[in-house]
Amino acid sequence: EMSQPVVRDEPRELRYEALVDGRVAGIIRYRVEPGAVVVVHTEVDEELEGTGVGSRLVRGALEDIRSRGLGIVPVCPFVRSFIGRHPEYADLVVTDPATPD
């Protein structure tokens, strides 16, 4: 039985990590803009796809970003679709200050 993923921020690496049994099972790469975290890319170990690790990772990252009072720019399609399915996170979404509409 797989243990629940633990999500942590690794700011030196500019990524969130999902740890399963102490091993990095998924990552979200980001960059930091004034007032917002730009979520660039999500990847999950192929053998763990479909186990909920990706969703747990995104949820953990969004909760952390919310707790810091920051917005999120979901460049990553996986994160965008997650927020589409979980409208309780829609209030976090801001437009990227670096890219005009």
Side-chain angles (χ1 to χ4, degrees):
E1 176 64 8
M2 192 178 81
S3 61
Q4 276 298 304
V6 176
V7 179
R8 70 175 180 199
D9 184 17
E10 279 292 334
R12 288 185 309 273
E13 303 284 333
L14 290 176
R15 68 188 201 177
Y16 286 93
E17 297 176 344
L19 300 169
V20 176
D21 299 325
R23 171 175 88 84
V24 176
I27 62 168
I28 293 178
R29 296 191 185 283
Y30 63 80
R31 68 176 194 269
V32 180
E33 302 272 352
V37 177
V38 182
V39 176
V40 180
H41 178 67
T42 303
E43 55 189 81
V44 174
D45 273 12
E46 282 178 16
E47 69 263 26
L48 294 174
E49 282 177 9
T51 63
V53 170
S55 293
R56 177 75 196 83
L57 173 57
V58 173
R59 192 180 293 278
L62 292 174
E63 293 289 348
D64 184 68
I65 291 164
R66 186 191 293 285
S67 75
R68 297 180 194 200
L70 299 171
I72 179 172
V73 182
V75 174
C76 168
F78 184 80
V79 174
R80 260 207 311 276
S81 69
F82 180 92
I83 293 171
R85 293 194 308 276
H86 299 89
E88 66 269 25
Y89 295 110
D91 62 303
L92 294 175
V93 176
V94 295
T95 54
D96 189 345
T99 54
D101 296 330

